[in-house]
Amino acid sequence: MRELNLLIEVIQAFENKANEMIKILAHEFNLDLKSDQSFQKLINRDKNLVLMGTETINGGTLPTANVPPPPGNYNPPVIWIPPTNPSGPPSGPPPGPTSPPSSGTGGGGGTNTSGSQKLTKVGDPDPCKGKTAVDKRLNNEKILAQAKEALSKTRKTPVGGKTVEYGFETVLTNLTTFDFKNNATKNGSESNVNLNTRWNATDGYTVGYTHSHPKNGAPSPSDLFIGADTYRDWASYNLPTAQKNIYADYYTSTIVTDNQIYVVTIKDPVKWGNGLDLSNQQARDDAKIKYRDLANEYMRNTQLYDDTVNGQLYALLNMYGDAVNIYRAPNSSGPLNFVPLQLALGGVVTKRC
């Protein structure tokens, strides 16, 4: 009997302690204990925080550390896009005054559009000054149609049974008139499509990089710095400084998803050029880990545990908001109206222009 009473006391003490812990959890995470699904928010939180890698960002699962290096040797500055977990850079000759045309690694078709329409400068320290040019560029019939084509191919044209990224480059055909054309749309992998930088009269002068995100995530750190290696090493290719300024002024990196279209422009060329070295594996690993941690921080602080996209944008603006402008517009059938994003009150808000 004594042992039974002791057992009952232990069980009662355990129950009291458990109830205390439940009350603490309810207070900490704003749980409604009267609800039949009191802990659903907490379950979703754990799920999102564990998977806050490339599944919610752009395909796959981001390792917490020791991200494997890409195969082969990095050959800068042929540009590659590893939105979250890169499979490796493409092979091929570096760009330069006499660089040959690049076939990339994608095989998908697309229409090679060209014409006399001109591009205008988009980069500016003030994102409101760049907004008009971003709207004009992305609403250009040829650019918008091919951007939506890339997303359509992602949805309708799998490769090897898998949903993959599609993308294309926009190049200036003349550095005086600023006429442009789009290169053919090409396919990549589930989290990678190789977009190349070329800078010569034969191949054109690459100033725009557009690709789709199959998992509908926001841009990744690498998406913000496509071409930064070329910009940083500009002098080594014996290219004029004036043309380097054109590259920065006309640069865009565009990410297309089902719901949103994002455009990245350069706010501060020096900070952008030094922001993230895509040829440095450790730098990429560190950036991905910080990106994940800041996104998780946002979700914890706001208790919006399903709001992974704004968590990703919060991370990007914290990490690189002094180097780039990030614009967003709903992916709609009407004219696109881009708004610049900024940090305020612990979250991501639009900037009034």
Side-chain angles (χ1 to χ4, degrees):
M1 181 64 69
R2 182 179 179 182
E3 289 80 2
L4 179 59
N5 290 335
L6 181 61
L7 179 60
I8 292 173
E9 290 178 4
V10 171
I11 292 174
Q12 289 175 337
F14 179 82
E15 183 180 15
N16 291 337
K17 193 66 176 178
N19 287 331
E20 290 178 13
M21 293 301 297
I22 290 173
K23 290 178 181 179
I24 292 173
L25 286 172
H27 180 268
E28 178 71 20
F29 296 102
N30 194 28
L31 305 177
D32 181 7
L33 295 179
K34 296 180 181 179
S35 171
D36 293 337
Q37 297 183 348
S38 301
F39 294 93
Q40 191 62 43
K41 180 189 287 188
L42 191 60
I43 292 171
N44 288 341
R45 169 189 180 273
D46 291 341
K47 179 181 178 182
N48 282 339
L49 294 185
V50 169
L51 295 181
M52 186 56 212
T54 50
E55 174 59 30
T56 52
I57 295 171
N58 194 33
T61 301
L62 177 66
T64 57
N66 300 322
V67 180
N73 295 321
Y74 183 74
N75 188 14
V78 176
I79 301 307
W80 52 291
I81 300 179
T84 49
N85 192 14
S87 59
S91 59
T98 58
S99 61
S102 170
S103 61
T105 59
T111 303
N112 201 351
T113 59
S114 62
S116 60
Q117 298 187 70
K118 307 178 189 305
L119 298 184
T120 55
K121 172 183 173 181
V122 291
D124 197 281
D126 182 352
C128 287
K129 291 182 179 179
K131 169 185 159 47
T132 300
V134 169
D135 283 344
K136 181 177 180 180
R137 182 178 299 195
L138 269 294
N139 281 294
N140 178 281
E141 180 180 355
K142 294 179 179 180
I143 291 178
L144 181 58
Q146 197 161 340
K148 294 202 171 189
E149 177 199 46
L151 183 64
S152 177
K153 285 179 173 290
T154 288
R155 297 294 170 231
K156 299 178 180 179
T157 312
V159 176
K162 297 180 179 180
T163 300
V164 301
E165 294 188 358
Y166 282 82
F168 63 91
E169 304 94 354
T170 297
V171 301
L172 294 171
T173 57
N174 187 298
L175 294 181
T176 302
T177 63
F178 299 103
D179 291 342
F180 79 92
K181 70 174 184 177
N182 293 331
N183 290 336
T185 302
K186 52 190 172 184
N187 67 266
S189 67
E190 293 174 283
S191 61
N192 184 327
V193 58
N194 294 330
L195 299 183
N196 298 328
T197 300
R198 293 289 181 253
W199 199 266
N200 61 76
T202 301
D203 306 318
Y205 307 90
T206 311
V207 293
Y209 310 84
T210 301
H211 72 287
S212 58
H213 270 192
K215 297 295 183 180
N216 290 317
S220 72
S222 295
D223 291 338
L224 272 57
F225 293 96
I226 306 166
D229 291 349
T230 301
Y231 185 82
R232 185 170 51 252
D233 298 334
W234 198 268
S236 67
Y237 295 100
N238 298 316
L239 297 171
T241 300
Q243 293 183 14
K244 182 179 183 181
N245 296 334
I246 290 174
Y247 181 71
D249 287 343
Y250 285 77
Y251 173 96
T252 56
S253 174
T254 302
I255 298 89
V256 188
T257 72
D258 289 335
N259 300 318
Q260 303 287 340
I261 297 177
Y262 302 91
V263 176
V264 178
T265 66
I266 298 175
K267 176 185 291 186
D268 186 313
V270 174
K271 291 180 179 178
W272 179 76
N274 296 320
L276 177 59
D277 184 356
L278 296 183
S279 67
N280 185 320
Q281 177 67 48
Q282 187 60 54
R284 295 203 315 273
D285 294 350
D286 292 344
K288 285 183 286 187
I289 291 170
K290 186 174 182 180
Y291 178 55
R292 179 203 60 200
D293 290 346
L294 283 169
N296 284 339
E297 174 186 287
Y298 167 84
M299 290 192 292
R300 283 193 298 266
N301 290 344
T302 62
Q303 296 190 20
L304 299 173
Y305 302 115
D306 294 323
D307 194 6
T308 55
V309 169
N310 274 321
Q312 295 155 15
L313 293 169
Y314 170 85
L316 291 175
L317 290 169
N318 268 285
M319 295 167 71
Y320 307 115
D322 60 345
V324 300
N325 298 312
I326 302 177
Y327 299 85
R328 177 173 63 186
N331 188 354
S332 63
S333 58
L336 300 177
N337 180 27
F338 284 90
V339 292
L341 303 178
Q342 63 180 356
L343 292 174
L345 303 175
V348 178
V349 299
T350 59
K351 181 177 177 63
R352 291 182 178 271
C353 292

